[in-house]
Amino acid sequence: MMKKFLKIPSILFLLISLALVFYLSVSLEDKAPKIGVIELNGNFHLSKDIYFKYAGFEDKEKYNELTLPLIKDRLEKHPYIKRADVIYEGDNAVTVQITEKVFEALLYWESKQFIITEDLETLPILSYTKRIDYPVISNPFVKDSIRNFHNVKKYDDVVTALKILTTAKLTDPELYENLNEINLRNGGDILLYYSFADYPVVVGRGNEIAKVIYFGKLWNNMKGKSINRVIEYIDLRFAQHVYLGITTEAQEDKEVNS
């Protein structure tokens, strides 16, 4: 008899708890802000309309079905968005401040193209991306395969190219801005292509960072001079020496004039 008496308060407590949870859920739902306007800030890679389309925010008639956590969750699922901070401003208005992932380079491998972020993540190049004029890393030597949403730190060739980019950015911003492509040639001699020159810079393999720094100093002495018109390549592969490949026409003219 005592056991039955003890069960009654337990059942009563459970019923009261369930009723309280139900009341709170209904009460909080009634107090949830009704959303009529969503303002997006911080976008650079894509337009607001593209982000809204991805998140399903095109139809304003359905905004009343949204909640602040749902808005945040949908936007942060986009490959380009690192974080979305959602704030209810009152009067049915919501402001979203997004933080996009920082792009460092484009990666071309076989027939595939990727974006590489500052966190070494590979992303797809989506349609309507506003700016894709980043330095290109091409033809890395890869044992397996490169896929989207993976970290490239295990690919030594890609890491080497990123170190070259970082070195150029820190030591000579002008060279960095004009660096179009790092061709890794599937493990062969590394070639650099700059927008200000019609010829490649042959870096080779080994001591890449020192060579890039040295080329920056060399270029500061060469830029604007007529010799650039007759150069076919600059070769940095040999220690303590720089070789300038001269066009055949220039060599013939030199022989004629000698």
Side-chain angles (χ1 to χ4, degrees):
M1 190 70 179
M2 181 62 72
K3 290 182 179 180
K4 291 183 179 180
F5 179 76
L6 291 174
K7 286 182 180 179
I8 294 175
S10 299
I11 295 173
L12 184 61
F13 176 77
L14 178 60
L15 291 175
I16 293 173
S17 299
L18 292 173
L20 181 61
V21 170
F22 177 77
Y23 170 77
L24 288 175
S25 63
V26 173
S27 178
L28 290 174
E29 185 176 347
D30 291 339
K31 292 181 180 180
K34 300 300 181 182
I35 299 171
V37 177
I38 302 175
E39 178 65 30
L40 183 75
N41 298 314
N43 61 300
F44 174 76
H45 301 319
L46 292 170
S47 69
K48 297 177 183 180
D49 292 340
I50 298 298
Y51 279 131
F52 274 24
K53 183 177 181 180
Y54 176 89
F57 299 158
E58 296 175 291
D59 188 357
K60 293 184 178 181
E61 298 297 326
K62 295 182 179 181
Y63 279 10
N64 58 356
E65 301 174 4
L66 298 175
T67 63
L68 302 187
L70 184 58
I71 294 172
K72 178 180 177 67
D73 180 67
R74 286 190 185 180
L75 285 171
E76 288 184 346
K77 281 185 168 65
H78 194 283
Y80 288 1
I81 295 180
K82 188 173 185 178
R83 189 179 71 251
D85 298 314
V86 184
I87 301 173
Y88 182 67
E89 303 287 0
D91 296 328
N92 302 331
V94 169
T95 298
V96 183
Q97 181 68 39
I98 63 170
T99 301
E100 294 177 316
K101 297 174 183 179
V102 178
F103 297 171
E104 288 290 340
L106 303 181
L107 174 62
Y108 291 1
W109 175 71
E110 293 187 342
S111 60
K112 301 177 182 178
Q113 301 179 8
F114 306 88
I115 293 168
I116 302 180
T117 71
E118 65 175 355
D119 295 322
L120 307 185
E121 180 187 16
T122 54
L123 301 177
I125 301 177
L126 302 178
S127 300
Y128 307 108
T129 301
K130 287 184 175 181
R131 178 176 180 255
I132 54 172
D133 56 338
Y134 297 92
V136 172
I137 298 172
S138 63
N139 303 314
F141 174 73
V142 175
K143 291 182 179 180
D144 44 22
S145 63
I146 301 176
R147 293 174 290 170
N148 283 315
F149 311 112
H150 280 69
N151 196 295
V152 298
K153 64 182 179 182
K154 71 175 183 177
Y155 305 120
D156 293 339
D157 248 13
V158 178
V159 172
T160 296
L162 291 171
K163 287 180 179 179
I164 290 173
L165 282 179
T166 301
T167 301
K169 184 188 295 187
L170 295 177
T171 60
D172 196 325
E174 181 184 358
L175 278 184
Y176 170 76
E177 290 296 328
N178 286 280
L179 181 53
N180 288 343
E181 181 184 355
I182 302 174
N183 190 338
L184 298 163
R185 302 181 68 239
N186 296 301
D189 288 328
I190 298 173
L191 303 181
L192 306 183
Y193 292 91
Y194 292 90
S195 59
F196 52 67
D198 295 328
Y199 51 81
V201 176
V202 185
V203 174
R205 292 283 173 168
N207 300 317
E208 295 91 356
I209 304 306
K211 291 174 182 177
V212 170
I213 294 173
Y214 183 76
F215 175 70
K217 296 178 180 179
L218 176 66
W219 174 250
N220 286 329
N221 292 321
M222 290 178 56
K223 63 182 178 182
K225 296 183 178 179
S226 58
I227 190 174
N228 287 287
R229 294 196 294 268
V230 297
I231 292 178
E232 284 192 331
Y233 62 89
I234 294 179
D235 197 336
L236 305 174
R237 289 177 294 177
F238 306 97
Q240 308 299 323
H241 295 282
V242 175
Y243 289 90
L244 304 181
I246 306 300
T247 61
T248 304
E249 292 81 359
Q251 291 178 352
E252 290 175 350
D253 290 342
K254 183 178 179 181
E255 291 174 359
V256 169
N257 295 326
S258 61

